[in-house]
Amino acid sequence: MARLREFDKEKALEAAMELFWEKGYEATSLTDLTSRMGIQRPSLYAAFGDKTELFEAALRKYMGSHASYVRTRLQKHASVKEAFRSYFESLVEAEYQGGENRGCFCINTMVELAPHDKKFEVLTREHEMYLAVIFQEKLGQGVQSGELKADLNAQALAQTLVVSLIGLTVLLKARPERLFADNSVSVVLSLLD
């Protein structure tokens, strides 16, 4: 008879996601994982497979919650310009609050694994494309409402905003002078005018 799992799989996955997000794939050991997740290796393997499969599950969990967060965050504002201003400025503000400097788990994976692992290249690209769709939807609302120019290429601008988001997120990990980041955000947001 099979033993019942004695741990909450979702909580364990959340713990693994947080650890991978903090340390990255390579720097995270199986001992680190089992300790943080509160489980033994056989349970880890039975529930999630190997380290790479666990990392993929953690990344997928993050990407789903991140995309949902971005969509919700942008929808809080009726004004498209205000939505993007608030979103980008909050990214900068969060980095200068003095807390953890983890960046974005997906972007960290893009930098660490995507260059030499096809699976993670595809996964991170899918997330980039999904964010571009979210951005494009919000820009489309601005075109429909008349807040943005009728001839705006919403797809190209959405993709440019994603590239800017990725660059800004990587840059902020090194905490440059605040004015450097603020000026960059101002120029990016001027693309909405």
Side-chain angles (χ1 to χ4, degrees):
M1 177 159 48
R3 283 185 64 196
L4 292 176
R5 196 174 278 140
E6 296 177 9
F7 65 93
D8 182 323
K9 188 175 177 181
E10 279 305 306
K11 285 184 180 177
L13 182 58
E14 180 78 25
M17 182 189 77
E18 292 294 329
L19 184 60
F20 281 130
W21 191 358
E22 289 167 21
K23 297 180 76 170
Y25 178 80
E26 292 296 334
T28 302
S29 70
L30 283 173
T31 301
D32 294 335
L33 286 164
T34 55
S35 175
R36 179 72 68 93
M37 296 167 75
I39 61 176
Q40 300 299 315
R41 283 187 192 207
S43 296
L44 185 151
Y45 292 130
F48 301 104
D50 65 14
K51 179 181 167 184
T52 303
E53 291 171 305
L54 175 58
F55 185 86
E56 181 181 347
L59 180 62
R60 287 182 184 277
K61 178 178 179 61
Y62 173 85
M63 292 188 310
S65 64
H66 182 249
S68 177
Y69 167 78
V70 171
R71 183 183 299 281
T72 300
R73 177 79 194 227
L74 292 177
Q75 294 305 330
K76 284 184 179 181
H77 300 276
S79 163
V80 174
K81 292 178 182 180
E82 177 59 25
F84 282 103
R85 185 197 62 74
S86 174
Y87 178 66
F88 276 87
E89 288 180 354
S90 72
L91 290 172
V92 173
E93 187 62 37
E95 286 304 323
Y96 291 94
Q97 295 289 322
E100 275 188 287
N101 190 8
R102 298 187 300 177
C104 167
F105 183 24
C106 185
I107 295 170
N108 295 346
T109 302
M110 189 184 310
V111 172
E112 181 184 13
L113 298 179
H116 55 271
D117 188 313
K118 188 70 171 171
K119 178 189 290 186
F120 293 108
E121 175 189 332
V122 170
L123 279 173
T124 56
R125 185 181 321 119
E126 286 173 0
H127 190 59
E128 294 164 30
M129 293 167 63
Y130 192 61
L131 290 178
V133 168
I134 293 170
F135 285 2
Q136 185 175 343
E137 288 172 358
K138 188 65 177 175
L139 293 169
Q141 292 172 7
V143 171
Q144 287 181 337
S145 72
E147 182 182 0
L148 301 177
K149 297 174 189 171
D151 64 348
L152 176 80
N153 184 337
Q155 181 181 29
L157 181 53
Q159 292 168 347
T160 301
L161 290 172
V162 169
V163 169
S164 299
L165 170 64
I166 292 168
L168 180 64
T169 303
V170 172
L171 176 79
L172 288 172
K173 286 184 67 104
R175 284 205 179 108
E177 183 180 323
R178 176 71 185 258
L179 186 58
F180 189 101
D182 288 340
N183 286 342
S184 298
V185 168
S186 293
V187 172
V188 167
L189 295 175
S190 73
L191 298 172
L192 298 171
D193 292 332

